[in-house]
Amino acid sequence: MISNPTSGPSSSEGHGIGPWGLSLSGVGIALPEKILANSDLTAWMDTSDEWIRERTGIAERRIGGSTSGLATEAARQAIEDADVPVDSIEQVILATTSPDHICPGTAPAVARELGLQCGAFDVQAACSGWVYGLVVANGLLLQGMNRVLVIGAESLDRITDYHDRGTGILFGNGAGAAIVDRDETGAGRLLSWDMGSNGNYVHILYAEHGDVLKMDGREVFRQAVTVMQTSATNSLKRAGLTVDDIDLIIPHQANIRIVEAAWKKLGFSMEKTEMVLEHTGNTSAASIPLALQSALDKGRIQPGTNVLFLGFGAGMTWASAIVRWA
Ligand code: ACO
């Protein structure tokens, strides 16, 4: 496990991290137009809308578009939302499991579309990727940068077999982006974070070159509940907060039953949880910023709101971060 670097690489008590803070000053999303509903899947798959809804919480997912295209659209919206000049962005971080190419990364193409020549790299940490990106962005701000663009974008339809009952019911495309700014006032802040991985579980969810995702759904379910519990507990502890201090939880949107099972163990309530899964399916690295946009649209986030982001994914990887909203 990686611990917070307040006093060196082995510290595990880090929170606050630096005299200034962080502000997510603009957010944007993109979803392709084409909807693949559960009822569409029943045309070629032995399943039902009722079964998929009951076992996953998903009614439909989006397909089409490219990772770079969706990422660029979400980024443009985030830039507009933040109302900042494009050329003030100093770094592009793109979390994705479904890059346009194996090589090069997709982030430079997105930067090009935005008219940028700043640093640009991909993060491949599956569904935890956007939270990994947020923590890395915080590190870059601590190194002196002022503005980082953190995107989660996927075109999972390229690596999903929509005839497979285990995976075809879950995955969809989408993107979400945030402008992450240094907040000199320190009002907004990354209060704590936790990142980890367990490579012993690489085999439970993977895609080989040129192939589709293969998954042991039951094992992913089991591991996901465990790592969400561990990671959320670590971040709470490092921030010196309790469950009651968290105003809003934005989990990775994989399966409503995974969230419910983890929440039962953690003592979290679904009322404090933002879910968009029903209409997006599992969009991997895009799912948390997609839900973030939804929470902002509903006015669920105000200055001072403590937001817990909680991701897990193939690897297994996991990541959580508690942000006090600027
Ligand atoms: N439609 C109808 N019946 C189905 C389907 C389906 N799509 N899939 C399986 N079944 C049947 C099985 O044949 C089985 O029938 P049987 O009891 O007669 O043998 C029964 O339903 C139960 O099958 P399970 O595979 O045990 O179903 P489960 O309840 O585990 O649900 C699911 C499967 C939804 C995939 C679940 O395991 C799951 O969500 N796991 C986590 C997956 C996940 O979140 N992955 C991504 C996380 S990480 C990331 O996002 C990259």
Side-chain angles (χ1 to χ4, degrees):
M1 199 186 311
I2 305 163
S3 49
N4 295 359
T6 40
S7 59
S10 64
S11 166
S12 61
E13 295 166 24
H15 52 92
I17 314 180
W20 52 78
L22 153 158
S23 154
L24 278 71
S25 44
V27 175
I29 63 165
L31 288 167
E33 274 178 28
K34 193 167 170 26
I35 293 173
L36 184 63
N38 292 347
S39 54
D40 296 324
L41 292 172
T42 61
W44 60 80
M45 193 192 282
D46 180 16
T47 189
S48 67
D49 176 47
E50 193 189 6
W51 193 96
I52 301 170
R53 281 178 191 264
E54 200 176 289
R55 298 291 179 115
T56 69
I58 298 168
E60 59 189 27
R61 67 290 294 143
R62 302 294 181 104
I63 54 171
S66 68
T67 296
S68 60
L70 293 166
T72 304
E73 194 182 329
R76 286 204 174 109
Q77 276 188 27
I79 293 163
E80 198 183 317
D81 186 41
D83 194 19
V84 296
V86 177
D87 62 5
S88 64
I89 293 167
E90 293 165 289
Q91 180 72 45
V92 176
I93 300 175
L94 173 64
T96 186
T97 311
S98 46
D100 284 0
H101 311 281
I102 292 172
C103 176
T106 304
V110 175
R112 179 198 65 217
E113 291 306 303
L114 296 173
L116 292 168
Q117 290 195 340
C118 62
F121 64 89
D122 290 7
V123 171
Q124 167 43 306
C127 314
S128 315
W130 188 82
V131 183
Y132 268 67
L134 181 66
V135 175
V136 171
N138 187 63
L140 292 171
L141 299 180
L142 289 171
Q143 292 297 320
M145 279 193 182
N146 290 299
R147 178 159 293 146
V148 180
L149 172 61
V150 184
I151 313 169
E154 303 285 5
S155 48
L156 292 174
D157 61 356
R158 292 173 45 233
I159 52 167
T160 299
D161 176 0
Y162 287 104
H163 288 82
D164 173 28
R165 293 203 302 176
T167 54
I169 58 170
L170 298 174
F171 297 110
N173 297 1
I179 298 288
V180 183
D181 282 343
R182 186 138 67 125
D183 179 9
E184 302 285 352
T185 70
R189 189 170 280 271
L190 179 64
L191 295 176
S192 65
W193 52 268
D194 174 69
M195 296 193 287
S197 71
N198 186 347
N200 291 315
Y201 291 100
V202 164
H203 62 284
I204 65 175
L205 179 53
Y206 64 93
E208 298 289 3
H209 287 296
D211 203 358
V212 292
L213 285 162
K214 301 276 164 44
M215 180 178 74
D216 175 346
R218 282 189 184 191
E219 194 55 34
V220 170
F221 196 113
R222 259 194 294 274
Q223 293 303 324
V225 172
T226 303
V227 301
M228 282 177 106
Q229 193 186 354
T230 309
S231 193
T233 304
N234 285 343
S235 278
L236 282 171
K237 201 168 142 204
R238 287 172 190 162
L241 299 177
T242 68
V243 169
D244 293 338
D245 297 317
I246 300 299
D247 303 303
L248 182 69
I249 312 154
I250 303 188
H252 169 46
Q253 315 275 313
N255 180 325
I256 189 87
R257 287 168 50 230
I258 292 178
V259 175
E260 287 167 350
W263 276 205
K264 207 177 261 182
K265 290 176 188 281
L266 281 159
F268 288 159
S269 74
M270 287 307 288
E271 288 73 49
K272 279 189 181 181
T273 307
E274 185 65 29
M275 298 298 299
V276 293
L277 172 81
E278 185 181 357
H279 298 292
T280 61
N282 180 343
T283 57
S284 193
S287 91
I288 288 179
L290 280 169
L292 171 60
Q293 177 74 76
S294 171
L296 287 164
D297 289 345
K298 292 176 189 160
R300 298 188 79 179
I301 303 178
Q302 304 297 332
T305 299
N306 284 333
V307 183
L308 168 64
F309 298 106
L310 181 51
F312 65 90
M316 296 282 292
T317 62
W318 58 89
S320 57
I322 301 175
V323 171
R324 185 176 68 212
W325 209 259

